[in-house]
Structure formats: structure tokens, C-alpha cells
């Protein structure tokens, strides 16, 4: 067998070896998305009606702390990637406000954990969990 490889040119040998390579299929977003209603972390995909939503970044979390009284309730805004059949959008979704694209209406319906007064630090990104609904 060694004599066979010695007589092959490097280009021919590389072509022969690459023909054996196995390239896995790239999964579609739907195949890796969690079921609708599942709270997801940043970067995790979830099915929302006919689309897949993936929270990418917390843009703003100015919500009133759970253990405080506030004049203004504040907002939670999450940059979210939305994948539909043949299209992709990215939008800043605000907690409780519906958002529409391509005849699809969805909403960010919860963001946990809530903020606590007196903690002195922001919620760690890995602690967040988000829930989306189709409307």
C-alpha cells in the first residue's frame, strides 16, 4: 500500500482523500428550536407559531425592581432574531408589545429574573430567560 501512495502525485492523493470526507447537513433553525412556550436563554431558539425566535442581546432592562415602588414601570427590550420560511429579521422587541413582520405577529411576554433593589449589580446575561408568544 505504501508503494501506491508513493507513486501518486500530492494533488491526486489530496483529491482521493477529500472524496471520502463526510460533511454533515446544517440543521434548519426549526430542528434545533425548543418548543413554543419554553423560556429560553440568550442565543437559544424557540418556536413561536410559524417562526423561530432567538433572543440575541438585552438592549435595555430598566424595569422597576420587584422589591421597590416606582413611578415608572420601566422596560425590557431584547434584540431578537426571527426566522421564517425563506426570510430572517432582527428586531428590538419590548416586553408586552406586539411586533409584526411578514404577516406574523409575535411578542416578548416575559423576561426573568426580575430586577431586585439593593443588589448593586446588573442581572448576569446568562441568568435571563425569555418567553415569546404568537399573536
Amino acid at each position: 500500500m505504501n508503494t501506491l501512495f508513493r507513486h501518486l502525485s500530492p494533488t491526486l492523493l489530496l483529491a482521493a482523500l477529500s472524496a471520502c470526507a463526510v460533511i454533515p447537513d446544517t440543521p434548519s433553525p426549526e430542528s434545533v428550536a425548543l418548543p413554543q412556550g419554553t423560556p429560553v436563554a440568550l442565543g437559544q431558539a424557540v418556536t413561536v407559531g410559524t417562526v423561530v425566535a432567538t433572543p440575541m442581546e438585552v438592549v435595555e432592562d430598566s424595569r422597576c425592581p420587584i422589591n421597590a415602588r416606582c413611578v415608572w414601570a420601566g422596560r425590557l427590550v431584547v434584540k431578537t432574531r426571527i426566522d421564517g420560511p425563506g426570510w430572517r429579521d432582527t428586531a428590538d422587541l419590548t416586553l408586552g408589545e406586539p411586533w409584526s413582520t411578514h404577516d406574523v405577529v409575535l411578542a416578548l411576554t416575559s423576561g426573568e429574573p426580575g430586577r431586585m433593589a439593593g443588589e448593586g449589580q446588573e442581572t448576569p446575561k446568562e441568568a435571563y430567560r425569555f418567553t415569546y408568544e404568537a399573536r
Side-chain angles (χ1 to χ4, degrees):
M1 190 162 177
N2 280 342
T3 57
L4 173 66
F5 287 117
R6 271 189 254 152
H7 295 296
L8 292 174
S9 73
T11 305
L12 185 58
L13 181 59
L14 183 60
L17 292 174
S18 66
C20 299
V22 176
I23 301 170
D25 289 334
T26 303
S28 68
E30 294 83 6
S31 67
V32 294
L34 295 171
Q36 184 164 329
T38 305
V40 293
L42 290 171
Q44 277 189 306
V46 63
T47 301
V48 183
T50 59
V51 299
V52 174
T54 307
M56 304 304 290
E57 172 188 356
V58 176
V59 175
E60 176 186 339
D61 189 356
S62 60
R63 296 175 291 172
C64 179
I66 295 169
N67 58 344
R69 290 182 186 216
C70 300
V71 175
W72 183 59
R75 303 182 328 155
L76 175 63
V77 180
V78 179
K79 183 176 293 298
T80 304
R81 185 178 68 217
I82 301 107
D83 290 296
W87 57 268
R88 171 178 279 176
D89 274 342
T90 302
D92 290 346
L93 273 61
T94 301
L95 182 64
E97 295 181 11
W99 186 83
S100 65
T101 184
H102 294 85
D103 296 325
V104 173
V105 180
L106 65 144
L108 173 65
T109 57
S110 78
E112 298 297 331
R115 294 181 51 215
M116 295 291 286
E119 289 185 2
Q121 59 183 337
E122 293 183 23
T123 302
K125 291 178 183 180
E126 60 275 359
Y128 279 106
R129 296 295 177 269
F130 306 98
T131 305
Y132 296 87
E133 282 183 9
R135 300 257 169 120

